Amino acid sequence: MAGIYIHIPFCKQKCNYCNFHFSTKKDNVEELVSGMIIELDQRKSYLKTKKIDSIYFGGGTPSIIDVKHIISIIEKIYSLYEVKKSAEITMEFNPDDIKKEKLNILRTAGINRLSIGIQSFENKDLIFMNRSHNAAEAINSIQLAKECGFDNISIDLIYGVPNQTESIWEKNLQQMFDLQIDHFSAYALTVEPNTKLNYLIKKKKIKPLSESKSENHFKILQEISSEIGYKQYEISNFCRKDKFALHNTSYWEDKIYLGIGPSAHSYNGESRRWNISNNLKYITFINSGEKYFDEEILSINQKYNEYTLTSLRTIWGVSLDYLENNFDKMITSHFKKNSRKWIENENAILENNSLKLTNKGMLFADAISSDLFII
Ligand SMILES: C[S@@+](CC[C@H](N)C(=O)[O-])C[C@H]1O[C@@H](n2cnc3c(N)ncnc32)[C@H](O)[C@@H]1O
Ligand code: SF4
């Protein structure tokens, strides 16, 4: 399996929690897309396969640029690769960009899955986050996407927001279930450096939600979603009717992917590579032939750590067969030895020869994986 990730680094405005790479200045979109087309050409052999299973337009906000740019990137990919008929082609959309004409054009161009950044159905939360949409737009955008024929829709929600009560979080979930969404991602709000949220917390202008309250939101999320029939197939990802996100699943399953655009990451099974997180430098360097990326060849220990970190977060868990087939005996015995205590204290179970987190263990996923790491 191989995937292509396209990073569109523009946003309408800055959400107060976000430190992904984006710019609110849109004056060099044309040059940037041309640079990405050059990068696609230059790196056409990176994946060592021509068969593509998934394409993902993420950001930033891919939905704020003119559809002609998305189409030119899709056409370029089709000219270089054999994109499988069944390929999942996702585009992230912000609710206020969802317009009938745009959706119809993109559907015809091949986009078959939408990931809509709802974050919350509550105006209070949305204002706090400095989102560019309101609650009514959030609901309407999902309805409109369905009317335009998109039957593979995912939405993003954030919990653990300051002042978000349990009942507001439950209401958010209920609203999503009422809209019959088959896939969603729910993220705990994290306070990232260089964000307004971080600044406001440091200046004591706002108080973050306590860890115990945020944990309660996570428990509510697990309880309600499983009652309604959703599978929590990754700590932050839920689906029903087996609508797993193919592209994201490949990140967790050690599959190769090519990342195009400023700040995009790539992985070819041996090394990781990440592009410069600066739009102007990306454009300049790609046109002048200068280096616009860094890379790192992964050591065997790094590969083991990454496999453990990502697999442990999924319902498929860390496969002992995979470890035995891909790593030496010392690594496998380190894993077995260190996982014992997590099984004994019921944070993990061994099932079908794979180590999987229990519901309780999911709260400590980071601590458990660092304990399993080899440093
Ligand atoms: C980087 S955004 C890109 C998609 C799109 N621009 C949007 O806003 O929906 C991808 C997702 O990351 C999540 N995210 C970004 N920063 C986060 C943070 N600090 N805490 C929790 N979730 C965050 C949001 O749910 C967001 O939908
Ligand atoms: S959350 Fe999305 S819209 Fe908001 S700043 Fe980040 S990338 Fe842009």
Side-chain angles (χ1 to χ4, degrees), residues 11 17-20 59-61 92-94 116-117 119 131 156-158 187-192:
C11 287
Y17 52 83
C18 182
N19 80 344
F20 278 69
T61 312
E92 287 179 349
F93 250 84
N94 278 16
I116 309 178
Q119 320 309 347
R131 293 293 293 180
D156 283 357
L157 290 176
I158 297 182
Y187 302 108
L189 180 71
T190 51
V191 182
E192 302 289 347

Side-chain angles (χ1 to χ4, degrees), residues 10-24:
F10 300 103
C11 287
K12 206 176 271 178
Q13 61 195 50
K14 232 176 191 300
C15 302
N16 76 357
Y17 52 83
C18 182
N19 80 344
F20 278 69
H21 169 64
F22 66 91
S23 164
T24 48

Side-chain angles (χ1 to χ4, degrees), residues 137-161:
E137 282 172 306
I139 296 172
N140 292 341
S141 69
I142 295 171
Q143 282 162 341
L144 190 59
K146 287 189 168 188
E147 277 163 36
C148 289
F150 283 93
D151 58 2
N152 203 353
I153 297 176
S154 177
I155 72 166
D156 283 357
L157 290 176
I158 297 182
Y159 60 91
V161 177

Side-chain angles (χ1 to χ4, degrees), residues 6 8 33 36-37 40 55 57 65 68-78 260:
I6 307 285
I8 306 289
V33 173
M36 289 164 82
I37 301 273
L40 275 164
I55 303 172
F57 287 87
I65 66 168
K68 71 176 185 204
H69 296 306
I70 304 289
I71 293 171
S72 67
I73 294 170
I74 294 179
E75 283 173 351
K76 186 74 204 174
I77 294 173
Y78 272 84
I260 298 289

Side-chain angles (χ1 to χ4, degrees), residues 21-202:
H21 169 64
F22 66 91
S23 164
T24 48
K25 286 195 207 90
K26 277 178 50 193
D27 36 13
N28 49 15
V29 177
E30 300 269 344
E31 291 91 330
L32 195 113
V33 173
S34 304
M36 289 164 82
I37 301 273
I38 298 174
E39 190 185 357
L40 275 164
D41 254 327
Q42 282 179 352
R43 301 182 63 200
K44 60 182 176 228
S45 309
Y46 180 83
L47 291 173
K48 297 182 201 99
T49 171
K50 288 275 164 233
K51 291 205 172 85
I52 298 299
D53 302 86
S54 65
I55 303 172
Y56 193 100
F57 287 87
T61 312
S63 55
I64 58 166
I65 66 168
D66 197 314
V67 286
K68 71 176 185 204
H69 296 306
I70 304 289
I71 293 171
S72 67
I73 294 170
I74 294 179
E75 283 173 351
K76 186 74 204 174
I77 294 173
Y78 272 84
S79 76
L80 297 171
Y81 298 93
E82 196 185 305
V83 180
K84 289 191 184 160
K85 274 213 162 65
S86 58
E88 176 193 272
I89 310 184
T90 306
M91 181 163 153
E92 287 179 349
F93 250 84
N94 278 16
D96 41 329
D97 295 327
I98 294 217
K99 304 279 178 311
K100 205 172 174 177
E101 206 198 342
K102 206 178 223 182
L103 288 184
N104 287 338
I105 297 172
L106 288 167
R107 214 162 86 84
T108 312
I111 302 288
N112 54 27
R113 183 171 181 273
L114 298 182
S115 171
I116 309 178
I118 299 290
Q119 320 309 347
S120 174
F121 290 103
E122 273 294 315
N123 279 326
K124 221 172 117 200
D125 291 343
L126 294 168
I127 292 167
F128 170 79
M129 295 178 192
N130 194 36
R131 293 293 293 180
S132 57
H133 67 274
N134 60 34
E137 282 172 306
I139 296 172
N140 292 341
S141 69
I142 295 171
Q143 282 162 341
L144 190 59
K146 287 189 168 188
E147 277 163 36
C148 289
F150 283 93
D151 58 2
N152 203 353
I153 297 176
S154 177
I155 72 166
D156 283 357
L157 290 176
I158 297 182
Y159 60 91
V161 177
N163 300 321
Q164 190 179 50
T165 60
E166 283 178 12
S167 75
I168 288 186
W169 175 231
E170 278 176 32
K171 220 175 116 202
N172 258 329
L173 291 171
Q174 199 48 56
Q175 177 64 74
M176 173 176 65
F177 301 139
D178 291 349
L179 287 162
Q180 306 276 331
I181 292 294
D182 292 333
H183 185 284
F184 68 95
S185 308
Y187 302 108
L189 180 71
T190 51
V191 182
E192 302 289 347
N194 306 319
T195 58
K196 174 118 182 254
L197 180 63
N198 188 33
Y199 169 83
L200 293 172
I201 290 174
K202 278 209 162 131

